[in-house]
Amino acid sequence: MIRLLDVRKGFNLGKPNAFVAVSGITLTLEANRVTVLKGPSGSGKTTLLSLVGCMARPTSGRITLTGRFPGFNGSAGEPDLREIEVTSLPERFLTKVRQRTFGFVFQQFNLIGGLTVLENIMLPAIPLGERHDVTRERALALLDLFGLGGRADARVEWLSGGEAQRSAIARALINDPPVVIADEPTAHLDSKLSLEFMDIIALLKDRGKTAIIASHDPLVSEAGMVDRVVAMRDGLIDGEPA
Amino acid sequence: MTRWIESQRNILDYTLSSLLRRKGKNASLLFVYTLVVFILASAMFFLQGMKREAALLLRETPEIVVQGMLQGRYDPIPDTHLEKIRSIRGVLSAETRLWGYYYDPVAGANYTLLVPRDRTITGDAIVIGNGLSRVRQVFPGDILSFRGRDGTNRPFVVEGTFPAESELVSADLILVSAEGFRSLFGLPPSRATDIVVTVRNPREVRTVARKIAEMLPEARPILRDEIARTYDSVFDWRGGIVLVLLSMSLLAFAILAWDKASGLSAEERREIGILKAIGWETSDVIAAKVYEGWFVSFFAFTLGLLIAYWHVFFTSAALFAPALKGWSVLYPDFRITPFVDPYQVAVLFFLTVVPYTAATVVPSWRAAIVDPDAVMRT
Ligand SMILES: Nc1ncnc2c1ncn2[C@@H]1O[C@H](COP(=O)(O)OP(=O)(O)O)[C@@H](O)[C@H]1O
Ligand SMILES: [Mg+2]
């Protein structure tokens, strides 16, 4: 579960080009649900995703995560379920939480050219200090799951749009994060591939994952497995007063 | 801890695959880097080697050599001087020497002919240096003729070749008998090339030399120290050329490092942004770049050093020889005794690997401190 309490995010504050992209959002995102943030371009969706995903810190407000965070209770073995406030965490811990909690799918896929599909998928696991062959096993299993088994050693430049997209999702899942965050995932996809993407989201939901998707594509917000649509406008949840 | 080691191993793996990925760029980088190390290390090995050869040579040089003088120039010395010198207080011994140069038009080379004092050679026997044996293709048992002062050819029988610890000393050396020497050069029996003097107390060398000069106005004593100084100045002069070479290489290297420092390619920046976005810490990205720099550095450094070693000690610094040696034609084949000064290698290391690594880290650090969400906004 992710809780946001009166979260604000401003850019270039104190300068002439100051801009408040998120201006006070309170929101609770339940585990194992698919939530879509919808709204026009510039409404603050991407900014909100980056705050939720611990990529950036809010200017004010609190964000708390409930989950099992390895390395936070000091004992070995499966950590207890606990709630932590990420807004006050030091940078290093924030990254650790992010590595274990979130998988990111970007609009441009952002695969790294020159590397193979398999190498790209294993990238997020590199700093975790897990044995290479263990990561590799998991990566191959993910590739099989997404029908990319035969493409493991292909360079990412050679992939079709659909293959690149599925590779990007596989990469987001390599560290087995409970939450998948996707920013405009269908922006570069045709309708068929967009529906395919939503099918994968349904599959992830079946496996217990939480999904948070920012999109102004109706194909996404109107898909069947979506539990909740949060409409945004001017950095606020639509309909709520500033 | 093991996790940390494992993560560094993974980052290192990633670094190596990144290096292979940018083959073209890294190959040219490696080439320039290796070349710079090669030039610097060659110069270093060469100078060091030559200094050692000279030191070996000097060790053999007597403390005082007395030459005869005529009209202010060198002249064979009368052996009557021998007794006078021996009578000076503090002189341990005085001996005459017979040695000279012979220009061989066939080989186009100057040989050093020497009557050895620690070895008896009789009649027309000679012992020749390796360099000479190689150039003239004469071996023990063969006959070698030299044109004497009277115009006649005088045959010598090669008795053996000359093995020595330093080829610089022996390459063009010919050992002859006293009779052979005198008849070839037409030197009368009462004269010698010079007189070598040993002194009981090294601190009295200058006093003894002064006494010799006073007693024998037509003779000139030469001290080993003076010879050493001449050598040093020659090496300093050659060292000057090398210094120019060195600074040029370092300049090229600085430009290379600066080029590397002044910016990463857009593609590299994008890659760093992606890594940050998918959960790499700033320190992970920097670690990857440091490993990359180290790897290129160590590879180029080792390779450059090895090639330089081979170049200087096995090809006799073939690339430098024309500029730096310019001695007898026999020398291009002479080999410097391999010798590496660890201190100089360390200096070279700190002049190349360290600044290069630093140069790669700075721009990477600047790129790596981007916010992880930067990728989402492009
Ligand atoms: N780093 C930034 N610096 C300045 N302004 C920014 C920055 N990031 C986003 N913004 C601004 O914040 C607003 C919201 O952007 P964004 O969150 O990307 O909206 P959306 O994803 O809904 O299109 C935009 O007007 C954008 O220009
Ligand atoms: Mg956006």
Side-chain angles (χ1 to χ4, degrees):
Chain A
M1 194 167 65
I2 302 165
R3 253 194 259 274
L4 291 88
L5 192 74
D6 196 25
V7 168
R8 286 166 200 274
K9 177 71 175 178
F11 295 105
N12 310 320
L13 292 177
K15 292 187 196 154
N17 59 343
F19 189 86
V20 178
V22 171
S23 33
I25 284 187
T26 298
L27 183 67
T28 299
L29 299 163
E30 298 289 340
N32 198 207
R33 298 280 185 277
V34 177
T35 306
V36 172
L37 304 176
K38 139 183 137 158
S41 185
S43 58
K45 305 184 293 294
T46 299
T47 308
L48 191 62
L49 280 189
S50 72
L51 293 173
V52 168
C54 299
M55 283 183 150
R57 283 172 199 280
T59 310
S60 68
R62 287 153 50 96
I63 301 174
T64 58
L65 302 180
T66 310
R68 300 174 196 279
F69 303 101
F72 271 81
N73 54 355
S75 68
E78 180 67 1
D80 298 331
L81 201 66
R82 56 158 63 200
E83 181 169 64
I84 55 171
E85 198 205 318
V86 290
T87 27
S88 60
L89 279 183
E91 181 75 37
R92 265 169 42 85
F93 287 106
L94 200 63
T95 309
K96 294 259 180 301
V97 169
R98 187 155 67 86
Q99 284 171 344
R100 295 290 182 180
T101 314
F102 301 102
F104 296 90
V105 179
F106 307 100
Q107 184 174 339
Q108 321 271 2
F109 307 139
N110 282 332
L111 297 170
I112 292 181
L115 294 181
T116 64
V117 173
L118 186 66
E119 286 169 327
N120 258 285
I121 290 175
M122 290 169 65
L123 279 179
I126 284 179
L128 264 47
E130 182 180 64
R131 282 182 43 141
H132 184 85
D133 46 344
V134 176
T135 315
R136 195 185 145 85
E137 280 306 306
R138 265 208 326 274
L140 289 172
L142 279 170
L143 284 177
D144 279 339
L145 178 68
F146 293 132
L148 290 167
R151 305 291 274 156
D153 294 322
R155 299 246 239 122
V156 291
E157 292 91 327
W158 305 338
L159 299 180
S160 70
E163 287 171 333
Q165 176 216 350
R166 280 176 279 148
S167 300
I169 302 169
R171 186 177 66 183
L173 296 173
I174 187 67
N175 291 338
D176 199 23
V179 184
V180 174
I181 288 181
D183 191 20
E184 308 282 1
T186 60
H188 293 297
L189 300 178
D190 60 24
S191 304
K192 181 172 159 286
L193 286 177
S194 299
L195 290 172
E196 208 175 271
F197 176 83
M198 291 316 286
D199 287 343
I200 291 175
I201 294 295
L203 175 83
L204 296 182
K205 185 183 169 189
D206 284 346
R207 297 190 166 213
K209 305 276 184 212
T210 308
I212 307 166
I213 307 167
S215 178
H216 56 253
D217 182 356
L219 251 175
V220 172
S221 47
E222 284 157 24
M225 79 296 298
V226 172
D227 297 292
R228 183 173 173 199
V229 176
V230 176
M232 289 184 66
R233 182 171 292 277
D234 302 330
L236 287 169
I237 293 175
D238 215 4
E240 288 178 11
Chain B
M1 194 60 196
T2 50
R3 257 183 187 279
W4 183 81
I5 291 170
E6 197 67 38
S7 74
Q8 298 306 300
R9 251 192 58 182
N10 290 342
I11 291 174
L12 195 62
D13 276 352
Y14 173 75
T15 304
L16 294 184
S17 84
S18 295
L19 282 172
L20 291 178
R21 196 147 42 99
R22 292 189 262 276
K23 257 191 232 94
K25 184 189 161 196
N26 286 307
S28 54
L29 197 68
L30 213 61
F31 175 77
V32 178
Y33 200 149
T34 307
L35 191 71
V36 169
V37 173
F38 164 75
I39 293 172
L40 292 174
S42 287
M44 198 180 81
F45 287 154
F46 182 77
L47 270 188
Q48 197 66 23
M50 293 308 281
K51 277 199 167 164
R52 249 173 69 93
E53 297 287 333
L56 280 177
L57 203 75
L58 279 175
R59 211 178 56 201
E60 307 286 309
T61 308
E63 290 169 295
I64 302 176
V65 173
V66 184
Q67 287 183 346
M69 301 284 281
L70 182 68
Q71 296 165 352
R73 290 174 151 271
Y74 166 80
D75 194 54
I77 195 162
D79 57 7
T80 48
H81 285 1
L82 211 50
E83 283 313 311
K84 294 181 191 163
I85 293 172
R86 281 180 185 150
S87 70
I88 294 173
R89 265 173 67 104
V91 169
L92 192 63
S93 72
E95 301 290 338
T96 54
R97 288 197 309 188
L98 290 173
W99 64 276
Y101 299 121
Y102 175 84
Y103 177 71
D104 178 7
V106 180
N110 260 310
Y111 306 147
T112 305
L113 270 69
L114 172 73
V115 179
R117 285 180 292 162
D118 53 356
R119 175 169 182 172
T120 355
I121 293 175
T122 52
D124 54 5
I126 52 172
V127 177
I128 62 175
N130 294 324
L132 174 57
S133 170
R134 208 159 40 219
V135 169
R136 288 291 302 263
Q137 288 294 302
V138 285
F139 303 98
D142 293 351
I143 289 190
L144 199 58
S145 284
F146 296 134
R147 207 169 127 90
R149 188 180 152 97
D150 56 5
T152 58
N153 272 339
R154 202 181 180 302
F156 288 93
V157 179
V158 177
E159 203 181 67
T161 56
F162 198 81
E165 51 180 319
S166 162
E167 250 204 58
L168 183 56
V169 182
S170 65
D172 69 345
L173 194 61
I174 300 178
L175 302 181
V176 288
S177 67
E179 316 93 275
F181 185 89
R182 288 183 188 283
S183 78
L184 183 70
F185 289 117
L187 191 69
S190 63
R191 300 242 160 183
T193 310
D194 51 29
I195 294 174
V196 295
V197 180
T198 53
V199 175
R200 196 165 283 126
N201 181 350
R203 274 177 303 183
E204 285 178 5
V205 168
R206 287 192 173 274
T207 322
V208 169
R210 208 187 59 236
K211 283 185 187 162
I212 293 173
E214 283 165 5
M215 184 190 282
L216 310 167
E218 74 281 29
R220 178 176 69 156
I222 302 167
L223 305 185
R224 176 163 59 190
D225 287 358
E226 287 168 0
I227 301 175
R229 232 174 291 136
T230 313
Y231 268 116
D232 271 355
S233 66
V234 167
F235 277 119
D236 281 351
W237 178 77
R238 293 184 196 285
I241 299 180
V242 171
L243 201 71
V244 172
L245 212 76
L246 222 90
S247 25
M248 269 161 50
S249 311
L250 277 179
L251 185 72
F253 185 73
I255 293 170
L256 171 83
W258 176 252
D259 184 51
K260 190 75 179 147
S262 55
L264 299 169
S265 66
E267 185 208 355
E268 279 173 295
R269 262 173 221 287
R270 190 182 96 97
E271 185 173 323
I272 288 176
I274 295 173
L275 293 177
K276 285 287 300 246
I278 60 177
W280 283 44
E281 274 179 63
T282 305
S283 62
D284 297 327
V285 175
I286 293 174
K289 291 294 169 182
V290 170
Y291 292 147
E292 198 176 306
W294 274 357
F295 193 81
V296 170
S297 270
F298 273 113
F299 195 77
F301 187 79
T302 315
L303 194 67
L305 212 62
L306 287 178
I307 302 177
Y309 189 90
W310 170 80
H311 169 232
V312 171
F313 300 123
F314 290 89
T315 75
S316 309
L319 296 177
F320 290 175
L324 291 178
K325 281 198 298 207
W327 290 324
S328 159
V329 290
L330 295 183
Y331 285 129
D333 216 28
F334 114 85
R335 295 200 171 158
I336 304 167
T337 319
F339 172 72
V340 175
D341 180 356
Y343 169 74
Q344 293 207 334
V345 173
V347 168
L348 191 61
F349 182 87
F350 280 104
L351 282 180
T352 52
V353 174
V354 172
Y356 181 81
T357 308
T360 49
V361 171
V362 173
S364 310
W365 170 75
R366 266 195 260 137
I369 53 174
V370 295
D371 293 329
D373 60 334
V375 163
M376 295 173 94
R377 283 188 257 112
T378 48

